[in-house]
Amino acid sequence: MGLDDRKLAVLRAIVEDYVATQEPVGSKALVERHQLGVSPATVRNDMAVLEEEGYIRQPHTSAGRVPTDRGYRLFVDRLSRVKPLSPAERRAIERFLAGAVDLDDVVHRTVRLLAQLTRQVAVVQYPSLARSRVRHLELVPISTTRLMLVVIADTGRVEQRLVELPAPIYADDVLDLRRTVNEKLVGIQLSETPPLVQALIDECVPHLRPAMTTLSTVLLETLVERHEERIALAGTANLARGGLLDFQGSLRPILEALEEEVVLLKLIGEVEPSTLRVRIGDENEIDNLRAASVVSTGYGPGATIVGGMGVLGPTRMDYPGTIATVRAVARYVGELLAQN
């Protein structure tokens, strides 16, 4: 059954009131607070239809109604009005993030900012090495048989490894190695480097081949074989802000899910470029999060996505405001990575 404009307006009003008040919404309150242009009896009839269609439900504690996951989904897809950030909010985001001194600082500022602005739990994935490009490779001699390899990605991520050489080499040889690997690998996406690293050995001058072979092994481990992803989390205390109906009365499953990094990566790390994703209640694949909603997006310099970010909270969420905030913060972080 299709819903006419009036019933859609009633559903929008129920969602907005419930999000704002944390109280089940009755027909009398809707008529008093919203310009619906109809009598309370008509609103009650519309609410009966919405309930029959599965968009709202009546919790046993009250005569009022609350939205269901299906009701929130219809609200997000068709009824929510874009809530643009104010100029002051945009300036605050820009100033706060612009003060970051390195990548760690960018990530920690971003996750704190998201938690503060949305009043939800915020999750930010560090830029993934697999999605990054090589900006620079540095070789620092520690002794004649030991080097420090420093890999700097275009996202600002830095990885350091010790290289134990099979035989002593001269300082000039270290310079030759550094120049060779930079000429071959700078600007290349890390996931595309393996054949180029192999070519480094084949094309190397004979007396440096043993050192290049060892260096190439460490390069492959650093550029390709390390799948460890890092996550930053903030705002867990915000989960306790809601009412009794949030999270079906228990925070424990949510908190258990938030302790698992693999869960957090699944929440925010699988976003396509330019896509913002809203998963509501049972739309979440993770059982412990079936009482929560997740708003997530990818971020990165330009059109390149290097990581994900998002917020998690009750299904009773300010979706328009949360969506606008997540989009804006992701855009600013992308611009910051592009500049630096």
Side-chain angles (χ1 to χ4, degrees), residues 102-313:
D102 57 21
L103 182 62
D104 275 335
D105 200 14
V106 169
V107 171
H108 285 111
R109 282 172 180 254
T110 300
V111 77
R112 292 203 315 271
L113 184 66
L114 273 177
Q116 290 167 7
L117 291 176
T118 64
R119 296 179 151 192
Q120 311 291 356
V121 180
V123 186
V124 176
Q125 176 189 13
Y126 276 76
S128 169
L129 269 181
R131 299 175 185 170
S132 304
R133 294 180 182 272
V134 179
R135 176 183 286 173
H136 182 68
L137 294 156
E138 188 59 63
L139 292 174
V140 182
I142 296 175
S143 71
T144 57
T145 59
R146 180 180 287 183
L147 302 175
M148 175 69 75
L149 167 66
V150 183
V151 179
I152 304 171
D154 61 350
T155 53
R157 185 159 171 177
V158 178
E159 297 286 322
Q160 299 182 30
R161 299 288 177 276
L162 275 176
V163 183
E164 301 284 353
L165 299 173
I169 64 171
Y170 296 108
D172 287 346
D173 291 333
V174 174
L175 293 177
D176 287 342
L177 288 173
R178 181 173 60 193
R179 183 180 64 253
T180 302
V181 295
N182 274 288
E183 287 175 353
K184 199 74 166 178
L185 300 176
V186 166
I188 304 298
Q189 190 161 329
L190 272 64
S191 59
E192 299 172 358
T193 55
L196 299 177
V197 173
Q198 180 59 44
L200 285 170
I201 303 172
D202 300 335
E203 297 168 11
C204 187
V205 295
H207 80 279
L208 286 180
R209 196 160 289 161
M212 184 64 86
T213 301
T214 303
L215 175 59
S216 295
T217 300
V218 179
L219 270 171
L220 282 174
E221 291 173 354
T222 308
L223 299 176
V224 180
E225 295 177 14
R226 284 178 57 83
H227 298 295
E228 174 188 324
E229 298 291 356
R230 295 166 62 196
I231 288 285
L233 185 72
T236 307
N238 287 331
L239 292 173
R241 300 175 65 94
L244 290 174
L245 294 177
D246 288 347
F247 308 116
Q248 299 171 359
S250 175
L251 283 175
R252 183 170 181 170
I254 308 288
L255 294 173
E256 287 176 352
L258 291 176
E259 288 180 356
E260 300 291 334
E261 284 212 352
V262 67
V263 170
L264 298 179
L265 279 170
K266 195 168 186 63
L267 283 181
I268 63 160
E270 301 174 352
V271 182
E272 295 299 315
S274 304
T275 299
L276 186 136
R277 185 164 58 183
V278 181
R279 279 167 296 183
I280 300 169
D282 283 336
E283 295 171 0
N284 285 300
E285 299 171 12
I286 299 153
D287 287 342
N288 282 2
L289 298 180
R290 294 284 170 85
S293 285
V294 180
V295 177
S296 59
T297 191
Y299 74 91
T304 304
I305 299 298
V306 297
M309 68 173 66
V311 300
L312 176 147

Side-chain angles (χ1 to χ4, degrees), residues 30-45:
L30 286 180
V31 172
E32 289 174 352
R33 284 198 284 251
H34 299 270
Q35 305 298 317
L36 297 173
V38 292
S39 68
T42 301
V43 171
R44 280 195 295 274
N45 289 336

